[in-house]
Amino acid sequence: MKLLIRNGRVIDPASGTDRVADVAIAAGRIIGIGSAPADFAPNRVLDASGCWVLPGLVDLCVRLREPGGEHAGLLESETAAAVAGGVTSLVCPPDTDPVLDEPGLVDMLRKRAQALHRCRVLPLGALTRGLAGEVLAEMVQLSDRGCVGFGQADRPIVNTQVLLRALQYAATFGYTVWLRPDEPWLGKGVMASGPLATRLGLPGVPAAAEVIALHTVLELLRSVVGHPPSASVRLHIARLSTAAGVELVRRAKAEGLPVTADVSIHNLMLTDTDIGYFDPRLRLQPPVRQQRDRDALRRGLADGTLDALVSDHTPVSADDKLLPFGQAAPGATAVELLAPVALRWAEQDGVPLARAIEVLTIGPARVLGARLGTLGASLGRLAVGGVADVCVLAPDAPWRVEPGALVSQGRHTPFEGHELPARVRATLVGGHIAFEAQP
């Protein structure tokens, strides 16, 4: 299809573009921004007056629940939710059932996703077999099947010798290791440690659980890359939750270590006081923490210490979520809320609009780096000749988050009842209209 997106405000932080312009698309690629070739005759014109035309969003943490968790979500429902949220590319963690530690499983997931013709699914392979933290997975074979990195999801590696060997092996091939820092013995609680956890009588997760694990992995990384850094391994710290963790990442970057980091929309916007009277929608992993941690995360995302904002989309069935707080399954539906939450953060903190869009587009694309191959030249940006991944966002379309307004099979979110400032009008993936809001 030849498509013309007309009269939208084109905002692309990667190129510094911010102007009203038309975007011409043909054969799945952008062929003109501002002016189309003289012989261009579109099959369809999409009027984007009053809307922003953005690069397709890139979400670094979306659980699709297949295979193994179909009772909570299906590939069909969760990829539909992703494009309804403007997400054109997503990273799927390896903690499926069975775990993504076999090339055949990765092939199956990618082929199933491609057949749906919605968003682009970029799987993470398991760093260790079965995520058990004992034996390294076959990273080369998994990379050949399309894995963009290797991680443990929420399962820490207890044996630091195994973690060191994983970093060394990844350095040999230039892979990125994705880890959420969590000391296994301290991280067994259900909410953040503090006065509120004590009053509620719930087991807490101290900030030290994240900080100790982060100290450990950064020290191991130093031993692998040397001084100055030379090896090609990269470390991505997923879903930071503490002020001390932000400061450690800031120092590691200043030192020149090859480190990137992200934060979830939940930890960016919420605190432990939002749990109220044992609200299981706030049962999350990592847990939301105190205001000083939230404020540090917001500053870190604004100043570039943190590279990306993620949804941490984890749909949970009603049977697993509507339980007493300590027994409820952690997770929340979030991918459809990613863009409006980012804009609400920018509005509240006076963050430039370009930065708010950057942490959803080119920021996460840079985290993925060379593993994207030829796609790396166009992911997270609007470029003539690049793949036409586009999000058309109506910035002045406030809506109230209610379960019935969500596309995801999961209906539970701590943002239920919140008023958010914007909605996605259309999402294009490779020039194909994957989502279009009803008038």
Side-chain angles (χ1 to χ4, degrees):
M1 175 180 286
K2 295 180 179 179
L3 177 68
L4 183 66
I5 303 175
R6 177 174 289 166
N7 298 328
R9 180 182 172 187
V10 178
I11 308 175
D12 176 26
S15 63
T17 300
D18 187 348
R19 62 190 174 100
V20 175
D22 295 346
V23 178
I25 296 168
R29 294 188 174 270
I30 297 172
I31 62 171
I33 299 176
S35 60
D39 60 348
F40 179 71
N43 304 111
R44 182 177 175 190
V45 175
L46 178 61
D47 185 6
S49 299
C51 294
W52 298 345
V53 180
L54 313 176
L57 310 188
V58 182
D59 193 339
L60 298 181
C61 188
V62 177
R63 287 176 171 84
L64 300 172
R65 290 311 202 188
E66 280 196 50
E70 289 82 357
H71 64 290
L74 299 168
L75 271 176
E76 288 88 341
S77 63
E78 304 319 300
T79 54
V83 292
V87 173
T88 57
S89 297
L90 62 85
V91 174
C92 172
D95 54 343
T96 50
D97 184 16
V99 167
L100 293 180
D101 61 358
E102 293 287 345
L105 293 172
V106 176
D107 278 341
M108 180 187 70
L109 176 64
R110 295 188 69 212
K111 288 176 181 177
R112 285 262 294 121
Q114 288 168 359
L116 295 172
H117 299 291
R118 291 195 180 114
C119 59
R120 195 173 290 106
V121 174
L122 307 171
L124 278 183
L127 190 62
T128 61
R129 291 183 191 170
L131 300 178
E134 297 174 357
V135 179
L136 298 187
E138 296 291 346
M139 295 187 211
V140 172
Q141 294 181 21
L142 293 170
S143 178
D144 289 344
R145 292 301 197 279
C147 287
V148 294
F150 301 92
Q152 287 287 112
D154 287 322
R155 304 184 198 178
I157 295 178
V158 178
N159 188 332
T160 51
Q161 180 79 337
V162 173
L163 182 53
L164 176 61
R165 294 289 179 258
L167 291 169
Q168 291 171 331
Y169 189 82
T172 303
F173 296 94
Y175 298 149
T176 301
V177 174
W178 299 50
L179 296 173
R180 183 175 76 81
D182 185 27
E183 203 286 325
W185 302 110
L186 295 175
K188 293 182 177 181
V190 298
M191 69 172 291
S193 294
L196 183 58
T198 301
R199 287 200 298 272
L200 295 178
L202 293 172
V205 180
E210 179 170 288
V211 175
I212 290 171
L214 190 51
H215 268 295
T216 299
V217 70
L218 289 176
E219 195 58 42
L220 293 177
L221 182 65
R222 288 185 183 96
S223 72
V224 172
V225 302
H227 298 280
S230 57
S232 57
V233 64
R234 297 170 66 237
L235 175 66
H236 181 67
I237 303 299
R239 291 168 289 142
L240 273 178
S241 70
T242 66
V246 174
E247 185 57 31
L248 285 175
V249 170
R250 183 177 284 116
R251 293 176 186 174
K253 286 189 168 187
E255 182 184 333
L257 289 177
V259 175
T260 53
D262 67 49
V263 60
S264 80
I265 60 173
H266 307 113
N267 292 91
L268 188 77
M269 302 297 288
L270 305 170
T271 68
D272 59 350
T273 60
D274 292 302
I275 290 171
Y277 192 66
F278 301 99
D279 186 348
R281 293 172 300 182
L282 271 291
R283 173 73 171 95
L284 301 166
Q285 197 171 18
V288 292
R289 296 190 174 276
Q290 285 77 33
Q291 183 174 336
R292 63 180 176 274
D293 295 296
R294 184 193 65 179
D295 291 349
L297 291 163
R298 292 166 78 119
R299 289 192 298 270
L301 189 63
D303 68 22
T305 300
L306 307 184
D307 301 87
L309 180 64
V310 305
S311 69
D312 193 16
H313 178 76
T314 307
V316 179
S317 69
D319 289 344
D320 292 330
K321 181 56 90 170
L322 299 180
L323 294 169
F325 190 92
Q327 300 172 28
T333 293
V335 70
E336 298 165 67
L337 312 180
L338 182 60
V341 167
L343 295 180
R344 175 55 50 83
W345 158 66
E347 174 188 277
Q348 291 176 346
D349 286 15
V351 175
L353 177 59
R355 178 59 184 166
I357 296 170
E358 181 180 6
V359 301
L360 306 177
T361 55
I362 191 61
R366 288 173 180 144
V367 170
L368 294 167
R371 305 314 301 176
L372 293 172
T374 56
L375 187 61
S378 24
L379 201 70
R381 66 181 73 215
L382 298 175
V384 175
V387 173
D389 287 0
V390 182
C391 169
V392 180
L393 185 73
D396 298 315
W399 62 291
R400 186 179 179 86
V401 180
E402 298 293 351
L406 300 174
V407 176
S408 170
Q409 185 173 317
R411 301 292 181 175
H412 306 288
T413 167
F415 292 102
E416 183 176 340
H418 288 226
E419 191 88 10
L420 294 179
R423 292 212 79 162
V424 173
R425 180 178 168 189
T427 303
L428 281 67
V429 182
H432 161 70
I433 299 178
F435 169 78
E436 188 169 12
Q438 296 301 314

